[in-house]
Amino acid sequence: MAKALIIGAGGVASVAVHKCVQNSEVFEEICIASRTKSKCDALKEKLDGQGCKISTAKVDANNVEELIALIEDFNPDIVINLALPYQDLTIMDACLATKTHYLDTANYEPEDTAKFEYKWQWEYREKFEKAGITAILGSGFDPGVTGVFSAYAQKHYFDEIHQIDILDCNAGDHGYPFATNFNPEINIREVSAKGSYWEDGHWVETEPMEIKKVYDFPQVGPRDMYLLHHEEIESLALNIKGIQRIRFFMTFGQSYLTHLKCLENVGMTSIEPIMFEGKEIIPLQFLKAVLPDPASLGPRTKGKTNIGCIYQGVKDGKPVNYYVYNVCDHEECYKEVGSQAVSYTTGVPAMIGAMLVVNGTWNKPGVHNVEELDPDAFMEALNQWGLPWVEDFNPTLVQD
Ligand code: NDP
């Protein structure tokens, strides 16, 4: 029986909280702590008495001292960081100071530069190892399940994986002309950045949205998808032996792209501060304030997501192609936990990763990306906790 401190009370945290409550055999007690305490209290009110014991707290996760005080007071076995990527390092510092396990779903990104990479968090490896505590980086869907799928493919079906295409399709329709499915600031920073992929030992950079393909997604149908830079490419390039190329594609509808281009053209997606009526504001943060809250999309979103990976490589000298994916239905997710599928597909793997750390399966001192750990228990838990996966040994490949 374990205690978990969940930091953040947004779309993803809400799903993780629901799943911890469902899994009260493992999570005996949780504390939900965030900047806006009323959101934590609302979750507690909804779920109290349905599983584990719930408490709430207010915390500024940019402040290490506040975090340490909260961890010392609640004394959790693990901290599940579901705030924003800006808070990763302060929360890791607090975990080190209190010798508490750590898990997140997105890698650290400095607030003033739209550049996410693992180097800052990988610098904590030795410190976590020495302290005897485990940090699991990127235990959402992508990164997260995509890394577990890769470890599973490597372990069971390949001697060498040569190519990976990660395909993230959201065919959900929320009825708004423009909205983002998770935190708008993080989402827009991600899609307006240059694209890149890994080939023959180095990064190849592309202009934003330069490479477009069409793919016929199982249970969804044909969709336009675009090559993006994505954080798991960086760790998979190191952890999958023999890898030659890794690409990441995400689907976008024409309306989303037209709105985004227009917002970019007028300067609304910039993270450079500007003066407005005597006050400094960041255009992208202002934009976030006027866009629909991702949490409010839940009741309106219809359709499915399909996220998975296509692997090409060799086993026993013979070529092998393997596609593994999950399909999630927005309305079914909403019925179960009151959130749409993008939050659901991230919050469920966060709970599973935390469960494996606290039950000892993934308790390995140091800082690890998910594909470094044994995938089998995680794969089994995906089927059990709402994200069943499908295998295809004769998939349609992405055309070059
Ligand atoms: P939301 O914006 O809905 O939620 C973020 C939460 O963090 C809010 O409750 C917010 O509080 C809280 N927060 C922000 N800053 C602080 C702070 N300084 N101290 C304490 N709490 C803070 O985001 P999502 O739930 O959509 O996303 C959560 C994380 O999941 C992000 O890091 C995102 O990048 C990641 N993600 C990962 C995916 C994956 O597949 N790996 C996919 C989707 C998301 P407040 O309510 O006051 O704003």
Side-chain angles (χ1 to χ4, degrees):
M1 293 290 253
K3 285 166 81 172
L5 170 61
I6 296 173
I7 301 185
V12 175
S14 166
V15 174
V17 166
H18 278 79
K19 286 290 165 178
C20 287
V21 169
Q22 288 177 13
N23 192 4
S24 56
E25 262 180 38
V26 172
F27 297 99
E28 164 185 41
E29 197 177 339
I30 58 172
C31 173
I32 316 163
S34 190
R35 184 167 56 187
T36 311
K37 187 168 172 285
S38 56
K39 290 192 189 173
C40 310
D41 292 336
L43 276 169
K44 175 177 158 67
E45 204 167 299
K46 181 177 172 197
L47 293 167
D48 236 358
Q50 295 184 26
C52 56
K53 191 171 159 208
I54 305 174
S55 58
T56 62
K58 178 175 167 52
V59 74
D60 174 5
N62 289 320
N63 183 322
V64 180
E65 295 311 313
E66 258 188 51
L67 287 165
I68 291 176
L70 175 63
I71 296 173
E72 282 177 346
D73 183 46
F74 181 60
N75 195 24
D77 298 284
I78 188 164
V79 175
I80 306 177
N81 168 15
L82 302 174
L84 298 179
Y86 316 132
Q87 280 90 45
D88 288 1
L89 301 186
T90 43
I91 299 176
M92 287 177 84
D93 282 332
C95 283
L96 265 177
T98 54
K99 292 205 182 346
T100 311
H101 300 310
Y102 169 90
L103 176 139
D104 67 29
T105 63
N107 66 9
Y108 176 68
E109 181 171 347
E111 213 156 345
D112 56 355
T113 15
K115 180 149 186 64
F116 46 91
E117 54 185 314
Y118 280 115
K119 74 169 183 211
W120 294 284
Q121 290 180 279
W122 284 345
E123 277 169 12
Y124 283 70
R125 277 175 175 152
E126 219 182 295
K127 287 188 213 158
F128 269 71
E129 218 176 301
K130 278 198 181 133
I133 51 172
T134 304
I136 303 291
L137 306 185
S139 189
F141 207 106
D142 44 343
V145 176
T146 53
V148 174
F149 282 168
S150 301
Y152 189 76
Q154 173 84 77
K155 180 174 174 183
H156 296 284
Y157 301 127
F158 290 91
D159 292 328
E160 266 190 12
I161 295 175
H162 295 153
Q163 297 191 6
I164 306 176
D165 280 326
I166 302 166
L167 311 187
D168 181 335
C169 167
N170 179 7
D173 181 6
H174 45 59
Y176 286 118
F178 185 81
T180 63
N181 297 296
F182 67 96
N183 185 286
E185 192 185 332
I186 305 297
N187 180 254
I188 291 172
R189 280 165 76 121
E190 184 173 283
V191 301
S192 52
K194 290 205 172 192
S196 70
Y197 59 99
W198 183 261
E199 189 164 51
D200 297 332
H202 63 271
W203 291 102
V204 181
E205 201 169 82
T206 71
E207 288 307 310
M209 307 291 178
E210 183 187 331
I211 299 183
K212 174 187 167 184
K213 308 270 179 195
V214 179
Y215 193 80
D216 191 357
F217 287 90
Q219 300 183 45
V220 168
R223 286 287 186 281
D224 292 344
M225 60 181 195
Y226 297 82
L227 185 140
L228 296 186
H229 172 68
H230 222 248
E231 59 195 72
E232 66 264 53
I233 300 177
E234 190 189 359
S235 66
L236 290 172
L238 290 178
N239 293 326
I240 301 297
K241 63 175 181 186
I243 194 73
Q244 294 164 4
R245 186 178 73 185
I246 314 175
R247 303 183 295 186
F248 180 96
F249 294 93
M250 193 177 268
T251 60
F252 294 103
Q254 199 47 53
S255 168
Y256 178 94
L257 293 179
T258 308
H259 279 79
L260 186 64
K261 191 84 240 143
C262 174
L263 292 166
E264 250 168 30
N265 285 343
V266 298
M268 282 307 297
T269 59
S270 168
I271 60 168
E272 291 300 320
I274 57 160
M275 292 305 289
F276 178 72
E277 294 188 343
K279 193 174 181 302
E280 198 180 86
I281 62 161
I282 292 173
L284 181 55
Q285 287 178 359
F286 178 76
L287 175 62
K288 175 181 182 248
V290 296
L291 286 175
D293 177 357
S296 71
L297 301 179
R300 324 171 37 110
T301 308
K302 296 179 170 41
K304 289 179 176 168
T305 59
N306 176 328
I307 321 176
C309 304
I310 300 175
Y311 301 91
Q312 294 172 258
V314 288
K315 175 84 177 169
D316 301 328
K318 294 194 191 81
V320 177
N321 296 336
Y322 171 62
Y323 184 22
V324 53
Y325 58 87
N326 161 263
V327 174
C328 230
D329 185 285
H330 286 288
E331 287 173 284
E332 275 174 26
C333 295
Y334 188 74
K335 243 187 268 158
E336 184 195 327
V337 297
S339 299
Q340 33 83 355
V342 174
S343 302
Y344 191 89
T345 51
T346 312
V348 172
M351 181 283 285
I352 293 174
M355 170 179 75
L356 296 185
V357 173
V358 299
N359 76 11
T361 313
W362 273 15
N363 184 350
K364 183 177 168 197
V367 174
H368 308 287
N369 294 89
V370 291
E371 66 273 13
E372 291 172 65
L373 295 140
D374 190 276
D376 291 356
F378 202 112
M379 291 293 277
E380 213 180 296
L382 286 171
N383 284 332
Q384 187 186 349
W385 292 102
L387 295 176
W389 37 277
V390 181
E391 296 182 303
D392 180 353
F393 289 89
N394 188 21
T396 308
L397 301 177
V398 178
Q399 296 305 311
D400 275 328

